[in-house]
Amino acid sequence: MVLSANINPKSWICALAITLSVNALSVNSKSASPDDIDDSASNLIHALGPQGVNLLQLRNSQKSHNAKLFVQDGSSSYGFNLGDEVEDPFSEFLPHYFEQPLDHFAKTNHTFGQRYWVSTRHYTPGATGTPVFVLDGGETSGEHRLPFLDTGIVDILAAATGGVGVILEHRYYGDSIPVSNFSTDSLRWLNNDQAAADSANFMANVIFPGVDEDLTAPGKPWIYYGGSYAGARAAHMRVLYPDLVFGAIASSAVTHAALSNWEYMDVIRLAAEPKCAANLVGSIEYIDNILALSQQGKILKGLFGLASLEHDEDFVSLLTKPLVAWQGKNWDPAVGSPVFDVFCAALVKPPSHFASSPAVVDAPFGDESRMVEVEGLMLDYAVLNYANFIHEKLVPWLCPEGDVEGCFGTFDDAHWDPTSLDSIWRPWLFQTCTQWGYFTTAPPDQNQPRIISRLLDLAYAMRPCQQAFPPGKHFKIPTMPNITAVNALGGFEIAADRLAIIDGEVDSWRPYTPHSRYGADREDTLTRPFKIIPNGVHHYDAYGLRNSADEPEEIRKIHGEMIEFVVDWLKQWKV
């Protein structure tokens, strides 16, 4: 699919919505509801901090105006469509509930239903050693993972081995909510240990509806799959519960937690088209320098349609929104987002009076020949393109009433007050504040090239932890997240027999996986697979097409290799 850099705002903002819900979309171009955008909460909070929460809240506000608004992909572009709800494409998979204790480590009568879905389309009753492939839903509604049960990695592996496929929703997400609100106290049972215990209890005790035989672990080989945060959980489950988890596949697994994830944006800088990256670096440096001059800074913000946005930190944070679309790239155009490429095309496009001058187009950022004057500011035309992109294609659609401070300001503590269950941003923010970190900041070396502002520091990114979660009666947010609890399980070096590590070559999360430059290189073996997908971004292996022959060569290759090592693992299983 090819989109013009002049894509209209309505189509662009819808494409952004698709980017932010990339994992929720079907691998077969099936339509998605507005709820699918919930899937992006973790990515937005990581990459945009307080502004990520703003986008989620603005989305919820817009959704409430029209309950029948849904995102639909057309034949050659993305756009909004008003109409009746489409037929459920996953009606084959009915939701079921498994009773879990609220607290696995203290006596309490409080239980909740953990939602799951099961596929038995490839299951042969009574077969010896039937494998069960469970995909961890991670920090989103499990409904968003159903494509993986239909044509994605769960179905691929189940079909190759005669196995059963399962999607297991994570506590506090989707419909697996054990509490009546998301206050500080109510969220205190949302942690790594409780979530891991949920999965272990499920594997050891679940009775699948319509299945007469006992498929529980350790009586059957269970293979645990997860991507991103859920990928780290898959690796952790293999380490923590080796008797129940026969094997695990950790895709784009962020097994090393960190306070700052500044390298997330640096991967994008290094992997993006060189002209786009150079224009981004130059634009951000120029913006930072102008913001240091109060009067000129206000004029500059006005070019972006954000003159009345009080705090410069909120302003520069908003400018990172198009960059988040990098993670939305996918080998399948029905799933992937074009937004990052559309943004890059707009950023580097010369003004019409420069277009016929190759010397100007090819000149480096800041060259005198590229400068234009706007409202008394002399700026490279890439900065003006950046401003026009935000002003014309982002601000009007996220903030149609024009109250810029109300839409994008984050310093008012009242902004963080809602604790109702529709504040879907609260569970993942709580997890980042308590255990996982990953707050996006500029590089620690102020002289290093960067594509986000130097104003984006840890203090700004972490401020919502105290704003959103005031001390409760029973729980208080730590001053810093306890990332040691995550890294103690192995971090970069996490390893075990029948634990596969799979990452994308240009995944912005790669610096926090075992394929990070900080981790030791490893041999890739059948027992301990260690694989990189060329040009891959975020858990590319999770997606599949009904006709695998239509998949790109590198995706067919990784799926074939995954089948190979899983079949080899199953040969090692003994009752």
Side-chain angles (χ1 to χ4, degrees):
M1 177 175 58
V2 178
L3 293 182
S4 165
N6 294 321
I7 186 171
N8 71 69
K10 195 172 186 179
S11 295
W12 181 85
I13 195 63
C14 189
L16 175 63
I18 290 172
T19 295
L20 302 178
S21 60
V22 60
N23 291 335
L25 293 179
S26 163
V27 292
N28 285 317
S29 304
K30 295 162 184 167
S31 299
S33 75
D35 287 335
D36 292 337
I37 302 174
D38 291 0
D39 187 49
S40 67
S42 63
N43 187 33
L44 286 175
I45 290 169
H46 285 317
L48 301 173
Q51 282 297 352
V53 174
N54 270 338
L55 183 57
L56 292 166
Q57 291 182 325
L58 289 168
R59 190 288 316 272
N60 279 344
S61 176
Q62 291 173 346
K63 184 174 68 172
S64 69
H65 289 305
N66 194 331
K68 289 190 176 182
L69 184 69
F70 66 93
V71 178
Q72 184 182 54
D73 110 19
S75 60
S76 62
S77 65
Y78 291 104
F80 280 125
N81 185 30
L82 296 173
D84 296 330
E85 292 290 343
V86 295
E87 181 181 354
D88 179 6
F90 306 114
S91 57
E92 174 186 352
F93 311 120
L94 299 178
H96 305 285
Y97 293 84
F98 177 81
E99 187 176 28
Q100 292 280 14
L102 172 64
D103 191 335
H104 288 273
F105 310 108
K107 291 184 178 180
T108 173
N109 293 323
H110 191 139
T111 62
F112 71 99
Q114 185 174 23
R115 188 166 58 164
Y116 70 95
W117 296 260
V118 61
S119 170
T120 56
R121 58 166 63 150
H122 305 294
Y123 163 62
T124 301
T128 302
T130 298
V132 181
F133 298 94
V134 57
L135 184 144
D136 190 303
E139 70 285 26
T140 185
S141 168
E143 291 178 340
H144 302 155
R145 308 308 190 192
L146 290 178
F148 305 137
L149 193 61
D150 185 35
T151 60
I153 192 59
V154 178
D155 188 69
I156 291 167
L157 295 177
T161 59
V164 172
V166 179
I167 303 294
L168 182 61
E169 192 167 66
H170 194 296
R171 61 166 51 204
Y172 284 85
Y173 295 94
D175 202 32
S176 300
I177 309 234
V179 292
S180 59
N181 60 63
F182 286 151
S183 67
T184 305
D185 275 344
S186 294
L187 288 165
R188 70 186 185 274
W189 296 282
L190 177 55
N191 58 56
N192 297 341
D193 290 341
Q194 296 285 0
D198 282 343
S199 296
N201 189 36
F202 177 84
M203 290 187 291
N205 295 291
V206 67
I207 300 174
F208 294 123
V211 176
D212 292 333
E213 68 176 312
D214 183 357
L215 295 180
T216 57
K220 296 291 184 181
W222 280 63
I223 295 178
Y224 205 105
Y225 179 95
S228 196
Y229 160 68
R233 280 181 39 76
H236 293 166
M237 289 299 297
R238 180 72 182 109
V239 171
L240 292 170
Y241 295 96
D243 294 337
L244 297 175
V245 179
F246 182 72
I249 303 173
S251 177
S252 295
V254 288
T255 54
H256 179 83
L259 287 179
S260 167
N261 70 337
W262 67 269
E263 288 177 279
Y264 176 100
M265 291 294 180
D266 210 45
V267 170
I268 299 172
R269 176 182 69 85
L270 295 170
E273 190 278 323
K275 282 187 178 180
C276 176
N279 279 280
L280 263 173
V281 170
S283 295
I284 291 301
E285 180 69 21
Y286 176 88
I287 289 167
D288 275 352
N289 291 338
I290 292 297
L291 288 176
L293 308 172
S294 58
Q295 188 56 40
Q296 288 183 312
K298 186 171 184 179
I299 295 173
L300 178 68
K301 288 197 287 187
L303 298 181
F304 286 81
L306 299 165
S308 60
L309 191 55
E310 180 179 354
H311 295 276
D312 289 346
E313 295 92 337
D314 288 336
F315 168 67
V316 294
S317 178
L318 188 60
L319 303 191
T320 65
K321 274 189 170 64
L323 309 185
V324 180
W326 180 270
Q327 188 172 321
K329 286 175 170 286
N330 195 278
W331 58 266
D332 180 3
V335 176
S337 165
V339 171
F340 186 87
D341 294 334
V342 169
F343 168 69
C344 274
L347 188 71
V348 304
K349 184 178 180 180
S352 56
H353 60 284
F354 287 162
S356 60
S357 177
V360 174
V361 175
D362 295 335
F365 182 93
D367 187 86
E368 184 177 352
S369 64
R370 294 170 51 102
M371 304 303 285
V372 294
E373 183 175 358
V374 183
E375 296 189 24
L377 293 178
M378 291 297 297
L379 62 165
D380 186 284
Y381 67 70
V383 179
L384 182 60
N385 288 341
Y386 204 155
N388 289 338
F389 194 89
I390 298 296
H391 192 177
E392 298 171 5
K393 297 181 171 64
L394 185 69
V395 174
W397 293 98
L398 291 178
C399 194
E401 301 301 321
D403 179 11
V404 169
E405 181 64 27
C407 290
F408 305 119
T410 68
F411 282 75
D412 183 356
D413 289 348
H415 178 82
W416 306 92
D417 284 345
T419 61
S420 58
L421 296 181
D422 61 355
S423 298
I424 54 92
W425 50 271
R426 293 185 69 87
W428 185 247
L429 180 62
F430 182 86
Q431 289 189 259
T432 64
C433 292
T434 53
Q435 290 188 305
W436 287 88
Y438 300 130
F439 299 101
T440 295
T441 69
D445 181 356
Q446 293 291 300
N447 296 317
Q448 178 173 328
R450 63 191 186 282
I451 60 174
I452 64 172
S453 170
R454 67 169 68 98
L455 297 178
L456 297 177
D457 58 15
L458 203 57
Y460 175 75
M462 289 190 63
R463 187 166 38 78
C465 293
Q466 301 304 320
Q467 290 177 293
F469 305 112
K473 182 178 179 181
H474 304 287
F475 189 83
K476 181 180 179 181
I477 290 285
T479 304
M480 291 285 179
N482 182 17
I483 59 175
T484 302
V486 176
N487 296 333
L489 295 175
F492 294 127
E493 307 304 328
I494 194 168
D497 287 351
R498 298 188 301 278
L499 169 58
I501 304 295
I502 301 175
D503 290 301
E505 181 182 19
V506 290
D507 186 355
S508 45
W509 285 106
R510 181 176 171 180
Y512 308 97
T513 75
H515 275 103
S516 166
R517 62 191 175 102
Y518 304 113
D521 195 18
R522 310 184 194 182
E523 183 182 2
D524 176 23
T525 68
L526 287 175
T527 302
R528 295 190 175 195
F530 193 67
K531 300 181 181 295
I532 281 283
I533 302 174
N535 298 312
V537 187
H538 210 45
H539 48 82
Y540 263 27
D541 59 294
Y543 302 87
L545 299 179
R546 201 168 299 281
N547 182 1
S548 62
D550 293 334
E551 296 172 357
E553 180 181 355
E554 66 272 16
I555 300 304
R556 293 198 307 272
K557 181 176 185 291
I558 191 65
H559 286 162
E561 291 174 350
M562 294 171 78
I563 291 171
E564 181 184 17
F565 68 65
V566 165
V567 168
D568 185 76
W569 291 357
L570 294 176
K571 292 177 182 178
Q572 303 171 30
W573 184 77
K574 298 177 182 179
V575 179

